[in-house]
Amino acid sequence: MVISLKGKSFLKLLDFTPAEIAGLIDYASELKAQKKAGIPHRICEGKNIALIFEKTSTRTRCAFEVAAADLGMHPVYLDSQGSQIGKKESIADTARVLGGMFDGIEYRGYGQELVEELAHYAGVPVWNGLTNEFHPTQILADFLTIKEQFGTLEGKKLVYMGDARYNMGNSLMVGCAKMGMHFVACAPKKYFPDQALVNECAKIASETGATLEFIEDPIVATKGADVIYTDVWVSMGEPDNVWEERIRELTPYRVTMELMNNAGEGCCFMHCLPAFHDLKTKIGREIYDKFEIDCMEVTDEVFESERSIVFQEAENRMHTIKAVMAATLAN
């Protein structure tokens, strides 16, 4: 199913109907099948796109660049040192400059208001690669992965463990509300999403049949879960001095095999990555030296288990990003 959102920006899932989101997921599945079969799909031949990365990334950058190449496009990467955005040149001026040279613009950075302003002035589609508040391309990949695993999204129970106040907790809650799923945020109350966004999602859920819950007890929260999802405890841009507080308050919400078994044998583990599940990273080793813990948000046992679908999820970043770009750019 080829979905057309020609000329539309992809900034947050709140901007899209459940049918449009489902259409993008189905389109991504078709494009993935074509790639696996070696069928060329250069449907955006000759177009040029700008990739603005004020925050670094492995998966997001690679997903956009590979997807662009598959579609026949030329991507230009601009990191925090490679553009004057917000420093010597305003967002509005940068948007108009890039909009005159490129057919589409990806932005990964800080406040949601920045990508919104970029889209307002650019005159071409703008895609949100991550802001502090939302990460919509990640959710499309997550939902494609869940659909591949279970055959459907509707009614599936997703439990998000840990700090649900920022982009991943927000976006998963919005996505689940849109798609008629059962969303649970499991954390101390101070880590629940903003109440205004909760209220907005509750209104959406009343129309789609979705369920939203906010539970502090991990055993209660994970019972009957189809997916247990987590993310790092300290987000990009936050100061190092918050590690001690997060470790103290969120360690009870670490994803363990006990929680996976409590959910049931069909439950899968998901994580948007990178994950601190062992001591093979610089930060993981530093945390161990300081706090004597060998993992953080998920144990290595869970991460490396057959119930972990994190690498299928990571690959699907590329397929869903490709669908977003094709849907908003292709003739």
Side-chain angles (χ1 to χ4, degrees), residues 145 149-150 226 228 257 260-261 264-270 298-313:
T145 308
Q149 193 72 21
F150 297 103
D226 297 293
I228 296 179
M257 196 57 75
M260 297 297 296
N261 291 336
E265 63 179 18
C267 181
C268 294
F269 171 72
M270 297 180 72
V298 58
T299 65
D300 194 56
E301 180 185 19
V302 170
F303 188 88
E304 296 292 353
S305 72
E306 292 183 356
R307 300 169 77 171
S308 173
I309 52 176
V310 298
F311 296 111
Q312 176 184 345
E313 178 188 3

Side-chain angles (χ1 to χ4, degrees), residues 13 20 51 54 77 124 133 159 176 191 207 251 255 267 319:
L13 292 182
E20 288 171 332
L51 306 178
E54 294 195 296
Y77 177 78
V124 297
E133 293 84 359
V159 180
C176 287
Y191 292 100
E207 300 169 353
T251 292
V255 181
C267 181
H319 303 298

Side-chain angles (χ1 to χ4, degrees), residues 12-16 134 170 173-174 177-178 193-208 210 212 214:
K12 57 187 184 298
L13 292 182
L14 288 168
D15 300 334
F16 294 85
F134 295 110
N170 289 344
M173 179 172 66
V174 171
K178 288 276 186 177
D194 177 74
Q195 190 60 47
L197 183 60
V198 171
N199 294 342
E200 189 171 3
C201 288
K203 183 178 179 181
I204 296 168
S206 69
E207 300 169 353
T208 65
L212 307 179
F214 307 90

Side-chain angles (χ1 to χ4, degrees), residues 97-112:
V97 168
L98 295 181
M101 299 181 184
F102 293 94
D103 299 288
I105 302 168
E106 179 272 350
Y107 174 83
R108 179 182 174 93
Y110 297 93
Q112 180 71 16

